[in-house]
Amino acid sequence: MKKLSLMALCASTAFSMSASGNSDLDIANKIRAEGFYNSEVMHTLQYLTDNIGPRLSGSPQMKEANEWTLKQLESWGLKNAYLDPFEFGRGWTHSAASIDLISPRKVSFHGIPVAWTPGTNGDVTAEVIMFEASSIEDLKKYKGKLRGKILMMGEGRTIGEPQRTIFKRHESSDLGKMKEFPVNRGPSHRSDRHPHYHETSKQRYLFNKALNKFLKEEGAVAAVYRSWRQGGLVGIWGKSHQVGNTFPIPAMVIEAEQYNLINRLMDDGDNPKITMNVKAKFHDEDHNAYNTIAEIPGTSENPKVVMLGGHLDSWHASDGAVDNGAGVAVVMEAVRILKALDIKPKNTIRIALWSGEEQGLYGSRAYVEEHFATRPKPTDKDEAALPSYLWKSPGWPIQPKSDYEDFSVYFNMDNGSGRFRGIYTEGNVAVKPIFGGWFSPYSDLSTGTITNRSTGGTDHESFDDVGLPGFQFIQDPLDYSSRLHHTHIDSFDHVLEDDMKQASVLMAAFVYQAAMRDDVLPRKPMPQGPSKLQKEQMQLKSDKERRKRERDALRALEAQKLIEK
Amino acid sequence: MKKLSLMALCASTAFSMSASGNSDLDIANKIRAEGFYNSEVMHTLQYLTDNIGPRLSGSPQMKEANEWTLKQLESWGLKNAYLDPFEFGRGWTHSAASIDLISPRKVSFHGIPVAWTPGTNGDVTAEVIMFEASSIEDLKKYKGKLRGKILMMGEGRTIGEPQRTIFKRHESSDLGKMKEFPVNRGPSHRSDRHPHYHETSKQRYLFNKALNKFLKEEGAVAAVYRSWRQGGLVGIWGKSHQVGNTFPIPAMVIEAEQYNLINRLMDDGDNPKITMNVKAKFHDEDHNAYNTIAEIPGTSENPKVVMLGGHLDSWHASDGAVDNGAGVAVVMEAVRILKALDIKPKNTIRIALWSGEEQGLYGSRAYVEEHFATRPKPTDKDEAALPSYLWKSPGWPIQPKSDYEDFSVYFNMDNGSGRFRGIYTEGNVAVKPIFGGWFSPYSDLSTGTITNRSTGGTDHESFDDVGLPGFQFIQDPLDYSSRLHHTHIDSFDHVLEDDMKQASVLMAAFVYQAAMRDDVLPRKPMPQGPSKLQKEQMQLKSDKERRKRERDALRALEAQKLIEK
């Protein structure tokens, strides 16, 4: 009896909601059905990763990915689709690479070229030499010693016990902790914090310029780097992609275990020899890279702009599946779902697939600067001559462009294929109740945790930095950081289909909701740059750190003298 | 006051024990001091793995390892050292190997040749074809289709979520569970269980002979196998090492992720092409392999024989550090410690470093047969013609040789570098109190868990199979099974120094104790072969399984017909 009456109640509630035209729930039903049962997300991902493969910024494969995504978005009915160019630098690809130990015994190593380093023009065979330099002083020690040698770039390190857990989902305790706001992290805009780390970056940039010159003059023939991952994973990266700043010799990353082997053989006086062979090519026919842009135009009289995106570029070691094929496939799937449902959004929905993210958010920064806001260039002549990412601080004040006011929000995805467990508000408390409502029809799919914390390292920062709402979701970590991120196994097999479908549905839901609002989303106060107090505090901290480094260096020197006595 | 009296008590106890000449504790102190503070175990391991490298049975590197270990043992003062030959088969090495996808796009794959397969004689480039055959019937389907093709050996498999934990030490709950004896596992001697799986092995052996002939006749050019590990680990193995039974075409194992990529491209009709290049060589100048044997001779009038050992051979994918450089270094260190302490054992301590273990315990079986016990050859002519490991059951009764009675015990190490947490008695309850006493001075180093369970898969089995006490220790699992065993990262970096020292000390202690006993260790009852009842039960089980297989095959066939309609 009780059971029956409950069922009757449920049925009548459901009926009345539908009849009352609760469009939030109706659309949730539709988005879920389209996203779960007609999903294209894994097909999209598979084409990107299996058929196109790695998509290094500026490479022909990246351009192919730009063109293919453009075509796909158009085929789903998106409008105003185009490739958005920005100045990037040299393109680079490699087609083959091998590295073998040939003496004291033969071992085929597992290595991958460092991006933007030249090929070898056939086999290069040479003795190795340990090379540890991080300052121009250090370089002098190697004067006259490098000719004809392959450089081992730094001492090997003991590997020891590995991380115990490689695969993880967020427990409710993790999510609970994330909700607590850390006051001491400084202002909620990254650009309001004094970027004092830029001093170190600048030193490194200037040192690298000197290093390039030195290695060329001294006639070193190649360089070998140790993977920063262990367990056979080759974790890669790149040298400068800027015209006129190319690393002068072929360079490869090899497995940490293999690097350590060479190092131990050197320590034992076994005089190891290596043969390296890299086929690599620079593509200088076009120094632009491209973002793929497309829209579902808004239908209201004065449509606002709702954006979603993720970076389409990847590193070259594998197929860029979790970083960031997954994010691209999910945002593409979100707009495909909305087009399949034939929604008529009040506001314009614009998808952006960025390039140059891996080298420093180049694509999204260029886009934001072109469309929404610029900042004054440095007044210091020396600083202005450096690449923009090395400017000590972005100039103030921020100069909004005409589209600034009508911009509502940008949703980004770039943390592997883990399902959405919630969202970071980047300290924007005003969006919390709004997002809470949007999560509600999906409470069986996601805890919908909302944290006012910030998360960094990807393209929503380009928006947040100029005071525009840009967000990333909280994702299950899975094995993204433990073994996939920037390694040679970032391939299709490691993307979880169910998680991808869940993320697509939530991304579509959030974009839909933002696109149906009459107004833009609330914003944080406009960033003004660090205050005088903040600057002083940061300077103190920076001075303290510099003094500590100097003390440590002095102690190391004294210890060395004691040993040499 | 209480504290003081306790301390006084402890001191007086310790003093009285030493004064009373408790040699067990005196020797424990000495073994610990030598094993912890004068350890050579990592040097031994490093030479074996870094300088010699992989030690595939029958290869020149394995011979080098035999000779080096012999020299080392002699330099520590061991006597009667020699290399003990046994008939093994062909030697094989590879010096370089590469495999690249060249169409529809270029990818450098990470692959390692399958042991005992021929080289390519330069680049081999061909289209791939899926090849799934496990019976002579299956081969017929491929008649005329393989010429000039590279074979993909079986469908790829979805990878899915990885194992969460890769590194593990035994918890006390694990050790507790291990103490419970599983009655239903059958008699404690493996050889008393009916080896009905031999029927399957025999079928596979005969199929492989047919496959070799078929692939040669049909003109396939190479074969690619999927690593049985995921996450970029190349897990390898070998084809037959027997003269006259060599796999006819070059074969490589590649990363599972890369194999799956080819598979998906095939499914999409992208017609993948591969280039393979393998430099491999057979060594037919000597078809023997060798065990390294050496002794600390016993001093009593009628010394018994106490053995310790581990297999010196390894696979070829890496340097065989945890499998089984670790075991070799520990047993060598145990005898080095005992020689350094200049002990005069009552019984002879004999160390044996086996070859051919990875292909089926060949070295230790040959040694046991030569010295301790033989068994009748099969009477069935067809069965006698097969290699001995395929004989349906070892013949009965076991025929002891003259040294059988004076053999006391064999201690083996072969489960990675994890510390000793206890020991398996292999169902020999009579040794339990003896081992309990031996663990006692080391209770701060090991829980000293004693289980009557058996553990298999390595050389102590060769002793246990003929009724002689042969034991393996319980070791912490670490990352041995999860990622190191038979993979390309089984190298020096993954061996834990502290664990190696702990194992060396306990191994030395056990060997010392056995060598100071007046008599041999107690034995289990002599194995008699399976009883009539056991045979009947096994036959029933075997018939049931065969019927199930037939039913499944029939259903699959019917389902296939339904699909094709």
Side-chain angles (χ1 to χ4, degrees):
Chain A
M1 185 65 193
K2 201 180 172 191
K3 207 173 177 184
L4 193 69
S5 71
L6 264 173
M7 281 174 68
L9 183 69
C10 291
S12 93
T13 312
F15 181 78
S16 71
M17 281 164 116
S18 184
S20 74
N22 183 326
S23 61
D24 281 7
L25 295 183
D26 286 347
I27 199 72
N29 272 340
K30 288 180 186 164
I31 289 176
R32 291 166 71 123
E34 185 63 28
F36 294 158
Y37 311 121
N38 296 330
S39 180
E40 284 293 326
V41 71
M42 295 307 276
H43 296 145
T44 302
L45 179 70
Q46 193 178 337
Y47 194 90
L48 271 177
T49 56
D50 281 356
N51 294 72
I52 298 176
R55 304 169 300 281
L56 194 70
S57 300
S59 70
Q61 277 169 303
M62 178 61 194
K63 194 71 189 297
E64 188 188 343
N66 281 129
E67 279 154 10
W68 182 78
T69 50
L70 190 77
K71 204 184 69 185
Q72 279 300 104
L73 294 166
E74 284 180 328
S75 78
W76 292 334
L78 276 82
K79 305 293 176 199
N80 309 325
Y82 68 104
L83 298 190
D84 167 48
F86 61 95
E87 168 91 25
F88 176 74
R90 311 187 75 182
W92 178 90
T93 48
H94 81 284
S95 60
S98 68
I99 174 166
D100 297 326
L101 181 68
I102 58 156
S103 173
R105 61 182 175 98
K106 290 212 171 183
V107 187
S108 288
F109 285 150
H110 178 210
I112 297 176
V114 176
W116 290 288
T117 61
T120 55
N121 201 8
D123 277 359
V124 165
T125 300
E127 279 176 13
V128 299
I129 183 171
M130 186 55 64
F131 182 79
E132 287 228 75
S134 56
S135 70
I136 289 166
E137 271 311 294
D138 289 345
L139 293 182
K140 290 181 188 159
K141 294 184 297 186
Y142 294 100
K143 187 89 191 147
K145 293 184 180 164
L146 306 184
R147 189 152 308 274
K149 294 283 201 292
I150 292 179
L151 313 187
M152 297 287 290
M153 303 302 273
E155 290 284 341
R157 267 172 297 159
T158 306
I159 283 180
E161 294 189 11
Q163 206 178 347
R164 291 185 177 228
T165 308
I166 54 167
F167 186 86
K168 186 176 155 54
R169 291 196 180 275
H170 278 313
E171 305 293 333
S172 44
S173 58
D174 303 323
L175 295 167
K177 246 177 254 163
M178 247 181 246
K179 285 193 221 168
E180 293 163 21
F181 187 77
V183 176
N184 63 0
R185 292 265 176 92
S188 62
H189 281 294
R190 249 165 239 91
S191 51
D192 276 350
R193 298 170 217 153
H194 184 63
H196 76 117
Y197 73 92
H198 275 94
E199 190 52 34
T200 327
S201 302
K202 189 175 142 190
Q203 291 309 325
R204 201 181 307 133
Y205 173 82
L206 294 174
F207 169 69
N208 282 335
K209 268 188 125 41
L211 176 67
N212 289 354
K213 191 161 163 281
F214 184 77
L215 295 182
K216 193 165 186 177
E217 284 170 4
E218 293 291 312
V221 294
V224 182
Y225 288 87
R226 180 184 189 276
S227 171
W228 45 271
R229 297 271 190 189
Q230 55 122 305
L233 295 173
V234 180
I236 55 74
W237 45 282
K239 292 283 183 183
S240 174
H241 54 89
Q242 283 158 339
V243 179
N245 210 7
T246 302
F247 193 69
I249 54 176
M252 285 180 84
V253 186
I254 62 172
E255 292 179 5
E257 288 87 343
Q258 294 171 340
Y259 192 95
N260 285 355
L261 167 65
I262 307 174
N263 208 154
R264 289 190 302 268
L265 292 173
M266 291 173 80
D267 290 346
D268 283 358
D270 289 318
N271 203 19
K273 270 190 201 160
I274 280 176
T275 296
M276 200 191 273
N277 192 328
V278 176
K279 285 183 194 148
K281 195 180 162 185
F282 287 93
H283 301 268
D284 287 316
E285 56 280 9
D286 182 3
H287 287 158
N288 284 328
Y290 298 84
N291 303 318
T292 304
I293 310 284
E295 289 183 351
I296 305 176
T299 55
S300 79
E301 217 164 289
N302 174 26
K304 316 297 180 196
V305 172
V306 170
M307 290 189 68
L308 71 165
H311 70 88
L312 179 57
D313 67 298
S314 77
W315 285 107
H316 58 296
S318 184
D319 302 331
V322 302
D323 188 14
N324 182 35
V328 168
V330 162
V331 293
M332 287 179 72
E333 177 71 358
V335 293
R336 190 200 64 77
I337 291 170
L338 297 178
K339 276 309 291 180
L341 302 184
D342 197 25
I343 63 149
K344 307 288 177 206
K346 289 183 187 167
N347 301 320
T348 294
I349 295 170
R350 187 182 299 159
I351 184 170
L353 308 176
W354 312 112
S355 187
E357 192 272 354
E358 295 293 4
Q359 292 71 43
L361 319 186
Y362 283 89
S364 56
R365 284 207 195 292
Y367 186 87
V368 166
E369 186 158 330
E370 187 191 340
H371 292 266
F372 303 117
T374 57
R375 351 190 37 158
K377 300 248 154 83
T379 46
D380 180 272
K381 221 180 58 186
D382 289 346
E383 193 172 354
L386 294 173
S388 62
Y389 75 95
L390 290 174
W391 294 341
K392 209 164 170 177
S393 72
W396 302 102
I398 290 167
Q399 294 153 343
K401 294 193 162 183
S402 61
D403 289 342
Y404 192 85
E405 285 313 313
D406 282 342
F407 179 87
S408 177
V409 61
Y410 170 69
F411 295 108
N412 189 69
M413 177 168 166
D414 177 23
N415 270 321
S417 74
R419 61 185 56 201
F420 289 176
R421 306 296 300 272
I423 195 162
Y424 297 90
T425 72
E426 303 288 317
N428 183 351
V429 181
V431 295
K432 204 173 163 182
I434 300 171
F435 289 169
W438 294 357
F439 270 123
S440 147
Y442 304 91
S443 62
D444 55 338
L445 290 178
S446 175
T447 46
T449 301
I450 301 173
T451 173
N452 286 318
R453 295 187 181 200
S454 301
T455 186
T458 184
D459 294 298
H460 68 291
E461 278 191 44
S462 302
F463 294 83
D464 187 69
D465 279 355
V466 296
L468 293 175
F471 304 105
Q472 265 267 129
F473 290 86
I474 300 171
Q475 293 180 252
D476 268 341
L478 311 186
D479 45 353
Y480 181 73
S481 297
S482 66
R483 63 174 191 161
L484 303 177
H485 185 238
H486 297 189
T487 70
H488 83 281
I489 62 163
D490 181 4
S491 57
F492 183 80
D493 277 303
H494 297 295
V495 174
L496 299 186
E497 182 169 343
D498 286 357
D499 287 52
M500 292 285 281
K501 289 179 179 170
Q502 189 261 16
S504 304
V505 161
L506 279 168
M507 182 62 87
F510 268 59
V511 167
Y512 172 82
Q513 292 291 353
M516 296 311 262
R517 280 174 67 86
D518 288 326
D519 205 356
V520 299
L521 278 189
R523 299 178 183 182
K524 292 184 282 188
M526 185 71 156
Q528 304 293 338
S531 68
K532 193 159 169 275
L533 178 67
Q534 281 162 11
K535 277 187 187 167
E536 282 168 10
Q537 283 172 342
M538 287 298 180
Q539 194 58 49
L540 276 173
K541 200 175 156 191
S542 170
D543 290 348
K544 205 170 151 189
E545 278 168 12
R546 202 196 59 241
R547 283 198 303 274
K548 188 178 175 309
R549 276 200 303 276
E550 288 168 0
R551 266 202 318 275
D552 288 350
L554 207 64
R555 275 183 201 148
L557 201 66
E558 281 163 5
Q560 188 57 36
K561 278 182 192 158
L562 271 175
I563 291 165
E564 284 168 358
K565 261 182 194 167
Chain B
M1 182 65 191
K2 201 181 170 190
K3 207 171 177 186
L4 192 70
S5 72
L6 263 173
M7 281 175 68
L9 182 70
C10 290
S12 95
T13 312
F15 181 76
S16 72
M17 279 163 118
S18 184
S20 75
N22 184 325
S23 60
D24 281 7
L25 294 184
D26 286 349
I27 198 74
N29 271 340
K30 289 180 186 164
I31 288 174
R32 292 166 70 122
E34 184 64 28
F36 293 158
Y37 312 121
N38 296 330
S39 180
E40 285 293 326
V41 71
M42 295 307 276
H43 296 145
T44 302
L45 180 70
Q46 194 178 336
Y47 194 89
L48 272 178
T49 56
D50 281 357
N51 296 70
I52 298 176
R55 304 169 301 281
L56 194 70
S57 300
S59 70
Q61 277 169 303
M62 177 62 195
K63 193 72 189 294
E64 189 188 343
N66 281 128
E67 278 153 10
W68 181 79
T69 50
L70 190 78
K71 205 184 68 185
Q72 278 301 102
L73 292 167
E74 283 180 327
S75 78
W76 292 333
L78 275 81
K79 305 293 176 200
N80 308 325
Y82 68 103
L83 299 191
D84 168 48
F86 62 94
E87 168 92 26
F88 176 73
R90 309 185 77 181
W92 178 91
T93 49
H94 81 285
S95 60
S98 69
I99 174 166
D100 297 326
L101 182 67
I102 57 155
S103 173
R105 61 183 175 100
K106 288 210 172 184
V107 186
S108 288
F109 285 150
H110 178 211
I112 298 176
V114 175
W116 290 288
T117 61
T120 55
N121 201 10
D123 277 359
V124 165
T125 299
E127 281 176 12
V128 300
I129 182 171
M130 186 53 66
F131 183 78
E132 287 228 74
S134 56
S135 69
I136 290 167
E137 271 311 294
D138 289 344
L139 293 182
K140 290 181 188 158
K141 294 185 295 186
Y142 294 102
K143 187 89 190 152
K145 294 183 181 164
L146 307 183
R147 190 155 307 274
K149 294 283 200 293
I150 293 179
L151 313 188
M152 297 287 291
M153 302 302 272
E155 290 284 341
R157 265 172 299 161
T158 306
I159 283 179
E161 295 190 11
Q163 206 178 346
R164 290 185 177 228
T165 309
I166 56 167
F167 187 86
K168 187 177 155 52
R169 291 195 179 274
H170 279 312
E171 307 293 333
S172 46
S173 58
D174 302 323
L175 294 167
K177 245 176 255 165
M178 245 182 247
K179 285 193 218 169
E180 292 164 23
F181 187 76
V183 175
N184 62 0
R185 292 266 177 90
S188 61
H189 282 293
R190 250 165 239 92
S191 52
D192 276 351
R193 299 170 216 151
H194 184 63
H196 78 118
Y197 73 92
H198 276 93
E199 189 53 33
T200 326
S201 304
K202 189 175 144 191
Q203 291 309 325
R204 199 181 309 133
Y205 172 81
L206 295 174
F207 169 70
N208 281 335
K209 267 188 128 37
L211 176 67
N212 288 355
K213 192 162 163 279
F214 184 76
L215 295 182
K216 193 165 187 179
E217 283 171 2
E218 294 290 311
V221 295
V224 181
Y225 288 87
R226 180 184 191 272
S227 171
W228 44 272
R229 298 269 190 192
Q230 54 122 306
L233 295 172
V234 180
I236 53 75
W237 45 282
K239 291 283 184 182
S240 174
H241 53 88
Q242 284 158 339
V243 179
N245 210 7
T246 302
F247 194 69
I249 55 176
M252 284 181 84
V253 186
I254 63 172
E255 291 179 6
E257 288 87 344
Q258 294 171 339
Y259 191 94
N260 285 355
L261 167 64
I262 307 174
N263 208 155
R264 289 190 301 269
L265 292 173
M266 291 173 79
D267 289 347
D268 283 358
D270 289 318
N271 203 17
K273 270 189 200 163
I274 281 176
T275 296
M276 200 191 273
N277 191 329
V278 176
K279 286 183 194 151
K281 194 180 163 187
F282 287 93
H283 301 268
D284 287 316
E285 55 280 9
D286 182 2
H287 286 157
N288 283 329
Y290 298 85
N291 303 318
T292 304
I293 310 285
E295 289 183 349
I296 305 176
T299 56
S300 79
E301 217 164 291
N302 174 26
K304 316 298 180 195
V305 173
V306 170
M307 289 188 71
L308 72 165
H311 70 88
L312 180 57
D313 66 298
S314 78
W315 284 109
H316 58 297
S318 184
D319 301 332
V322 302
D323 189 15
N324 182 33
V328 168
V330 162
V331 294
M332 285 178 74
E333 177 70 359
V335 295
R336 189 200 65 77
I337 292 170
L338 296 177
K339 276 309 291 182
L341 302 183
D342 198 25
I343 61 149
K344 307 287 177 206
K346 289 182 188 167
N347 301 319
T348 294
I349 295 170
R350 187 182 299 159
I351 185 172
L353 309 175
W354 312 113
S355 186
E357 193 270 353
E358 294 292 4
Q359 292 72 41
L361 319 185
Y362 283 89
S364 56
R365 284 207 196 292
Y367 187 87
V368 166
E369 185 158 331
E370 187 191 341
H371 291 266
F372 301 119
T374 58
R375 349 189 41 156
K377 301 246 154 85
T379 47
D380 180 90
K381 222 178 60 187
D382 287 346
E383 193 171 353
L386 294 172
S388 62
Y389 75 95
L390 289 174
W391 294 342
K392 206 162 172 179
S393 71
W396 303 100
I398 289 165
Q399 294 154 342
K401 293 192 161 181
S402 60
D403 288 343
Y404 191 85
E405 283 314 311
D406 282 343
F407 179 89
S408 178
V409 61
Y410 170 70
F411 295 108
N412 189 70
M413 177 166 165
D414 178 22
N415 272 320
S417 76
R419 62 184 55 201
F420 290 175
R421 306 296 300 272
I423 195 164
Y424 295 90
T425 71
E426 304 286 319
N428 183 352
V429 180
V431 296
K432 204 174 165 182
I434 302 170
F435 289 169
W438 295 357
F439 271 121
S440 148
Y442 305 92
S443 62
D444 55 337
L445 290 178
S446 175
T447 45
T449 301
I450 301 173
T451 173
N452 287 319
R453 294 187 183 202
S454 300
T455 186
T458 184
D459 293 299
H460 67 292
E461 279 191 44
S462 302
F463 294 84
D464 187 68
D465 279 354
V466 297
L468 294 174
F471 304 105
Q472 265 268 127
F473 290 86
I474 299 170
Q475 292 179 254
D476 269 342
L478 312 185
D479 45 352
Y480 181 73
S481 296
S482 68
R483 61 175 192 161
L484 303 177
H485 187 237
H486 297 189
T487 71
H488 83 282
I489 62 164
D490 180 4
S491 57
F492 183 79
D493 277 302
H494 297 294
V495 174
L496 299 186
E497 182 169 344
D498 286 357
D499 287 53
M500 292 286 282
K501 288 179 177 169
Q502 187 262 18
S504 303
V505 161
L506 279 168
M507 182 63 86
F510 267 61
V511 166
Y512 172 81
Q513 291 291 353
M516 295 311 260
R517 282 173 65 86
D518 289 325
D519 206 356
V520 298
L521 278 188
R523 300 179 181 181
K524 292 185 281 188
M526 185 71 156
Q528 303 293 336
S531 67
K532 193 159 169 273
L533 177 65
Q534 280 162 13
K535 276 186 188 169
E536 281 169 10
Q537 283 172 342
M538 288 298 179
Q539 194 59 48
L540 276 174
K541 199 174 159 193
S542 168
D543 290 350
K544 205 172 152 186
E545 278 168 10
R546 201 196 61 239
R547 281 197 304 272
K548 186 177 176 310
R549 276 200 304 276
E550 287 168 0
R551 262 201 321 274
D552 288 351
L554 206 63
R555 274 183 203 148
L557 201 66
E558 280 163 5
Q560 189 57 34
K561 278 183 195 159
L562 270 176
I563 291 165
E564 285 168 359
K565 259 181 199 170

